[in-house]
Every structure is written in C-alpha cells, then in structure tokens.
Amino acid sequence: MLLALSARGEEGVLGWFSLELRKVQREFVAKRSSLAALGEQVVGPTAPQLGFQHLQLVAPPPESPWIQLDLGSSQQIDTIALIPAVVDFQPIARGAYGFPRRFRVDVSDDRTFETFTPIFVHTDTDFRSPGVAPVVIAANGRAARYIRLTVTRLAEQDGVFFFALAEMMVLQGNRNIALLASASGSNSAHLPPRWSLQYLVDGRTPFGPPIRRSALPKFDAFFAKSTPDGEPAWLGLDLGRTVEVEEIRLHPLHARQGADVPGFAFPLQFRVELSSDAAFTGVVQVFDTGSSESADLDFQNPGNNPVTLPAGGKQGRFVRIVMQKSSRGRDLSMALSELEVYSDGINVARGSRPMSSGDPGRSPPRPGELLVDGHTSFGELMELPVWLADLAQRSRLQAEMEQLGARLPELESLAKRRAAWSAGVTGSGAALAGVAIVLRGRRRRFEELERFRERLAQDLHDEIGSNLAAIARVSEMAAAEGDKTSDEWREVHQISRETTDAMREVLWMVGARNEQGIDLMEHLQLTAARLLPGRTVRWVNVADHFPEEWPMDARRQVFLFFKETLANIARHSRAAQVELSARIEAGAFELMIRDDGCGFIESETRAGLGLRGLRERARSLRGSVTIDSTPGTGTCVTLRVPLAAL
C-alpha cells in the first residue's frame, strides 16, 4: 500500500495546477523521510509464545471480557503499553491479530475494582488498528497495584469474535514492572506453547529486543565454554562497586555470521548469581532453572527477545550467568550478545569489566567487551520508553501517510480538470497529458516490478534460506561428534554457509530486497574472504559509515566493480597476498585493491580481463579508476567515486 502511495506522493506536473495537491505531496514526502529516519523495523515472532487470546466465540459474550495484572504492591506507573499480537500463520502485511476494537484501561488498589481510576477510555467508536506497533498510554505517575483492560467490543475475524494481545507492559522509568506479574482474566484460551494468560507478561513480543537498527558490530556475540577440568561455562561482569540490583537482562545471540538462528547457543538450564567477591564464595541467587537431565527444567528458547530477571534489590558487585545444560549437545558452550544490570533505573553494566570461563577458541577471538558495548546482534540498545515512543511514532507516520494518500485521487482529479482547461486555453494540454500518461505507465511498471522482486526475495529467503540454515545447523552438530565423517560434515557446513551468503548477495545485487543486517562494507569483506581462499588478505582501511543519501544502486555498482576485480586476481594474477582499502575522504569513496601477482602490460592484455568493463562502470558512477601494473611486481586498481546522489 505505502509503496503505491510513495510513487503517487512525489511532486509532479499535476502539482502545477493545484497548490493543495502540491502541499499534500510535500507533506507525504516529508513524512516518508521521517519514517525512513527511524530505520528498518523488525517484526515477526521468534519464539513459540504468541501472547494471550480470548476464546473464539460465534457471537459476542453478554458481559465485557477483561484481563487484569497484579503488580504485588501499589507502584508508580508512568506508561502502559498494549503490544498487538502478530502470528506466524498469517502475512505480516495483514497487521495486528485480533486487536480489540473498543476497550478501556483502568487502575486500582482494589482487586475487585469497586473503585478505580480510568487511564484510557475508547468505548464509543472503534479504535483504529495499530498494525504492528504498540498502543502507548500515559499514566502520568499514577500509583496502583492492579491494571485492568476491559474490552467492550471484540475483534471479528473469519466469522468468530475474540481478542488477542502479545504483551502488556507497565513502565516505571526504564523498567517494565509488569514482567512475571500475576495475570487473571475471563475466558482465556490456554493453548501452550502458543497462547496463555501468563504469556502477557513473559517479555516476548513480535518486536524482539528494544533496539534501533544501526551499523552492525564486527561480531554478533560473546561465547564462553566449559573448561577441561569440568568447570561449567559462565559469563559475568565486575560492576566495580556493590549495587542494589533491580533486574538483570540477558540478550540472546541472533546468529547472523552463519545460519540465521534467533536464540543461538542460549543455555537450556542456567542460574544467575550475585556476589561481593570475584571468586563467588558468597553467592546471592537471583534465578535458577534447576539442574537436571530432564527436559522439564529446560528454559524455553527466547528467540531474539531479552530475558529479564527481577532481582528485588539484592546486592552485589559481581554478577554471572552459569550454564547448567547446553543447548548445543556435546558442544558445552553458551553465548550472549549483551548483559545488562539495572540499579536505580539505570543500566550500571555499560562499560564494566567482563569475565568468563574462557573463549571457546573462535578465530579471531571475540572480545569480552561485546557483553557491555550497548549492542545486540542486530542493533543498538534503546531504553524501553524511547523504544516504545519510536514504534508508536512509526505507526502514526504510516497512518498519516495513508490519510494523505487517500486524499490524492480527488486532488489529482481536480488538478487534471484544471490542466485540461489550461490546455484548451494555451494549446499545450496534449503534451502535458502525454507526459502524465507516460509517467503513470512507468510508475505502474515500476510498481509491478517491485512487487515481483519482493515476492521472489521472500520465496528465496523463506524456502531456500530456511533449508540452508537447517543444513548448517545439522552439519555443525554432526561435525562436533568427532567421528571419522566430521571432516566431510565440516565441509558441508562451510558450503551451506557460503551458499547462504551468496544467495543474500544475489538478492542484494538485483535490488530484490535489502537484506537485514548486510551493508556494503560487510558485502566487500565477505566477498574478499570467499573469492580469495588460500591467499593472505589484509584490509588496511575499513569505511565504517556511508551517507544515507548515497544511492543503493551506486553501492551495488561499486560492489560489482570490486567483485570483478577480485575475480581477475583469482583467475590471472597468481598473487599470494592482496591488500585492500576502503575509505571515505573529501566527499568521495575510495576503493583500492593491490596484489603481489604477475602483473601485466595493459596494451598487451586480451579483452577477457575486463579492464574496459571496469572503466565503463567507473564512468557510470561519475568516478575515476586508475590501474597501475608492472609485470612481475603486481597490480594496483584504485576506484574513486563521489558520494553525492547521482
């Protein structure tokens, strides 16, 4: 829908005949820019728990159903957020699943709500579906123990009446104090592991961790492994001083360097401890799943959702999570992308000293600072109020764009009538109409092509991508068995990972979709490693940020130039070492590729080396290329491209 509106929202010839149309078009473009500035939104369940669902009925019930949270004591409430359910058995584009049409939110210190304070009332008209965004309700510091949602009109879908929510969040400062609260309600569907009343407060939402999609860190998580003498794997922090801990947040690894697996290497059984000394001789226990080979104690994999554990003000300087049962079979390792410790509403873990039982020997080694760098696997962590505000702002912008888009046909029709009248007077109407028809035809063909590309990308990613991820996981586990076939399984694992990367690369090159978590620099690094096996590859400069205005098509052209040059090195140069540099300087991107191979004399080379193609690609980018080569001493190719929009 928004793609079509985006095309129509651009200023064009018709805007000359209607100031109102031009104003609406400009507002649309401005809101689209604001929406783009919020970054990419990640939506979709990564854990089996979907939330709460009211029983599906063939007719509305005689009394309004309700759900209620008990915070345990009267608490100051800043914000209440209703997180809509998003299910994995219907398209994401369909929006929220079963969000109530009319409802109210009240708070009270009385469990029976004989007396109460209204916080939000929307019972006279239908509430606009929030789509895949939270409904954020300000409580302005009101103190209460109980929060009740009363639904006066259910959602209706496929002939049945019900309502559903993924989560109810109650914010006090930067913390969700509703986590693991006691929940009650009327006519709830208890269908684990999908629907249950208690899933309303389990911290698992279709929005994943509270992050802003940003430049990715080099590594996606920190690993720890059990020691040879039998000490279990553990990760921890030295906070530098003793603090009263309110809660501890464990952020799982969402693997992106290999198979795309949320919750990768999160332990099945574990305990979380505080201590005043690094040796943990005196332990204050915060959480313990128990320790047993029985699956009854296994912790359900959280996907990419944070695991938040209330600590109730227990004191300690050192905190650690100890694995009691691995999720990786014989590979006794665990991983986290971030470890947060909240005291007095602030994450006091940021910048503290990481500790662990030892890195499992990954190459290159991963620094312990990954636990406290403020990033999860796919983005920069945000505090909960800011995160919810960003999500709500995204929803408002989308709604406003749809409203503006709904006005466009009428305004365009009026502008066309004025254009026709003006054409009759000035004699230029035919030319203007022809231009409008051509532009509309081009836009229509562009929209059809975009829809086809999106379907192609989705099918490849969902079908082939999921199969490759499964092969990668199976082969990795088989290789860990250590029998005589392990080498062959490792080769299968390597091939599956390379094929996954190649598939993402193809989709990105043809513009079918912007692959999550992959940017130009990451493409260049992955491609160099893949195309130059057995050679020493050294990056002397790595560009860490590209201007947003630099067109995606220009980035693809730079990537194709880089890939073609590396292919020449692999096929012809007989080089042992390759030196690479990518940097931004004086408003231009400079890419340098130098090898120590056999070199060549350009005037004597055959056309197959593709030098003409490199020069033509540089010209299409309004850039320049220099090729310096001497037989016996190697070749240096340097591309310089302006970063301004083409």
Side-chain angles (χ1 to χ4, degrees):
M1 175 65 175
L2 288 182
L3 178 63
L5 294 181
S6 175
R8 298 183 65 177
E10 300 286 359
E11 289 190 52
V13 174
L14 291 178
W16 299 348
F17 300 94
S18 171
L19 292 177
E20 185 67 15
L21 174 60
R22 191 182 310 174
K23 178 182 176 182
V24 170
Q25 290 172 332
R26 288 177 176 175
E27 287 182 10
F28 185 94
V29 171
K31 293 184 185 300
R32 184 180 59 189
S33 298
S34 299
L35 184 63
L38 293 175
E40 182 181 1
Q41 184 180 16
V42 181
V43 178
T46 57
Q49 295 82 6
L50 298 179
F52 162 86
Q53 179 176 277
H54 182 277
L55 287 177
Q56 296 188 350
L57 306 172
V58 296
E63 296 184 358
S64 297
W66 53 269
I67 48 180
Q68 181 171 310
L69 303 184
D70 179 0
L71 302 179
S73 63
S74 186
Q75 301 275 344
Q76 176 183 312
I77 301 172
D78 297 324
T79 303
I80 298 171
L82 307 179
I83 310 298
V86 176
V87 295
D88 50 9
F89 49 79
Q90 70 176 26
I92 293 295
R94 189 168 179 176
Y97 173 75
F99 196 83
R101 294 188 175 179
R102 302 184 186 184
F103 60 93
R104 61 182 299 142
V105 177
D106 305 300
V107 299
S108 178
D109 283 325
D110 174 18
R111 181 177 61 84
T112 63
F113 276 71
E114 292 289 337
T115 60
F116 59 87
T117 301
I119 298 296
F120 182 83
V121 179
H122 201 290
T123 55
D124 293 332
T125 58
D126 284 359
F127 189 82
R128 176 187 173 274
S129 173
V132 286
V135 175
V136 180
I137 302 169
N140 301 319
R142 175 74 62 177
R145 173 174 176 172
Y146 302 96
I147 299 96
R148 176 177 287 193
L149 169 71
T150 304
V151 178
T152 58
R153 185 177 183 185
L154 300 173
E156 182 181 359
Q157 185 171 314
D158 299 327
V160 295
F161 297 86
F162 69 103
F163 76 95
L165 286 178
E167 190 87 359
M168 281 186 68
M169 302 178 71
V170 180
L171 265 57
Q172 182 184 91
N174 292 326
R175 298 176 53 234
N176 176 18
I177 58 176
L179 280 168
L180 307 181
S182 175
S184 57
S186 57
N187 294 326
S188 64
H190 184 65
L191 300 170
R194 312 289 270 174
W195 304 105
S196 177
L197 195 56
Q198 207 57 35
Y199 296 162
L200 270 178
V201 289
D202 64 355
R204 301 183 179 189
T205 78
F207 304 136
I211 61 172
R212 177 182 289 114
R213 294 299 292 270
S214 59
L216 299 180
K218 182 176 182 181
F219 300 113
D220 49 17
F222 184 68
F223 283 75
K225 191 171 186 177
S226 299
T227 62
D229 60 5
E231 180 185 13
W234 61 271
L235 294 165
L237 301 175
D238 176 3
L239 302 176
R241 60 186 176 89
T242 298
V243 299
E244 291 187 357
V245 179
E246 294 168 330
E247 66 185 34
I248 297 172
R249 299 180 190 173
L250 312 177
H251 289 272
L253 157 65
H254 188 154
R256 58 179 171 82
Q257 296 172 335
D260 183 8
V261 182
F264 185 73
F266 196 86
L268 292 177
Q269 296 176 17
F270 61 95
R271 65 179 186 270
V272 178
E273 304 169 334
L274 295 170
S275 181
S276 59
D277 62 280
F280 280 79
T281 55
V283 171
V284 178
Q285 184 170 288
V286 175
F287 179 83
D288 191 353
T289 59
S291 181
S292 168
E293 289 303 314
S294 171
D296 293 340
L297 297 178
D298 288 354
F299 191 85
Q300 180 69 52
N301 189 294
N304 64 359
N305 297 282
V307 176
T308 303
L309 305 172
K314 295 176 181 177
Q315 294 188 348
R317 169 177 171 173
F318 300 89
V319 57
R320 70 177 180 182
I321 170 174
V322 182
M323 183 181 74
Q324 295 169 303
K325 182 179 178 182
S326 173
S327 61
R328 306 189 68 205
R330 295 184 182 180
D331 184 354
L332 301 179
S333 64
M334 61 178 290
L336 292 178
S337 64
E338 189 80 2
L339 179 55
E340 295 185 294
V341 180
Y342 274 77
S343 176
D344 197 22
I346 299 172
N347 175 25
V348 296
R350 187 71 60 84
S352 62
R353 183 171 67 88
M355 307 181 299
S356 77
S357 57
D359 188 289
R362 292 179 174 268
S363 180
R366 300 189 176 185
E369 286 71 21
L370 287 169
L371 285 176
V372 290
D373 65 355
H375 285 76
T376 65
S377 303
F378 272 102
E380 180 183 4
L381 279 165
M382 307 169 67
E383 294 292 0
L384 291 176
V386 179
W387 176 63
L388 288 173
D390 272 15
L391 291 174
Q393 174 69 1
R394 182 190 303 276
S395 178
R396 285 193 294 271
L397 287 170
Q398 290 172 337
E400 291 166 359
M401 289 172 67
E402 289 180 1
Q403 291 172 359
L404 291 171
R407 297 182 59 192
L408 285 174
E410 179 182 354
L411 293 173
E412 287 176 349
S413 177
L414 175 61
K416 288 176 183 177
R417 289 196 297 271
R418 290 177 178 175
W421 177 84
S422 177
V425 173
T426 63
S428 60
L432 291 174
V435 170
I437 292 172
V438 170
L439 290 176
R440 177 166 295 180
R442 288 180 179 176
R443 287 174 179 173
R444 187 180 300 112
R445 290 192 294 273
F446 172 76
E447 292 167 9
E448 292 172 353
L449 177 60
E450 285 299 306
R451 287 193 292 269
F452 172 77
R453 286 179 172 177
E454 289 172 0
R455 289 196 302 270
L456 170 65
Q458 190 67 50
D459 291 343
L460 284 174
H461 186 276
D462 291 348
E463 298 296 332
I464 300 177
S466 61
N467 291 340
L468 288 171
I471 293 171
R473 291 195 297 271
V474 171
S475 59
E476 183 179 26
M477 294 178 65
E481 296 292 333
D483 59 13
K484 63 183 182 180
T485 65
S486 60
D487 289 340
E488 289 84 351
W489 280 113
R490 273 190 288 271
E491 183 175 358
V492 170
H493 179 63
Q494 179 66 24
I495 293 172
S496 65
R497 290 182 58 184
E498 292 178 355
T499 305
T500 300
D501 290 339
M503 182 187 71
R504 289 182 173 183
E505 180 181 290
V506 169
L507 292 176
W508 184 76
M509 282 192 297
V510 301
R513 62 181 294 178
N514 292 328
E515 279 295 309
Q516 293 181 356
I518 297 181
D519 58 12
L520 174 59
M521 198 64 244
E522 186 173 359
H523 269 307
L524 298 180
Q525 292 172 312
L526 291 173
T527 301
R530 190 170 71 250
L531 293 184
L532 301 174
R535 295 174 173 83
T536 300
V537 177
R538 185 169 69 94
W539 285 89
V540 295
N541 292 299
V542 174
D544 59 356
H545 178 72
F546 295 95
E548 292 183 359
E549 63 268 21
W550 196 27
M552 183 60 68
D553 184 66
R555 304 182 195 209
R556 292 192 181 98
Q557 292 297 324
V558 167
F559 173 76
L560 292 171
F561 179 100
F562 179 77
K563 188 173 181 181
E564 187 172 347
T565 304
L566 294 194
N568 282 340
I569 293 174
R571 288 194 297 264
H572 307 296
S573 73
R574 300 194 295 275
Q577 298 186 39
V578 179
E579 182 178 283
L580 303 170
S581 171
R583 62 179 182 172
I584 296 174
E585 185 178 66
F589 173 68
E590 182 182 272
L591 179 65
M592 185 273 290
I593 305 118
R594 185 194 307 274
D595 68 69
D596 64 350
C598 60
F600 60 91
I601 299 175
E602 184 170 349
S603 61
E604 298 177 3
T605 60
R606 63 184 186 276
L609 286 179
L611 301 182
R612 179 182 301 172
L614 296 180
R615 297 188 189 280
E616 289 176 354
R617 203 175 295 280
R619 279 196 297 271
S620 71
L621 291 165
R622 297 197 307 184
S624 61
V625 61
T626 58
I627 303 173
D628 296 323
S629 183
T630 304
T633 61
T635 301
C636 180
V637 177
T638 303
L639 172 69
R640 188 173 178 84
V641 179
L643 289 175
L646 296 179

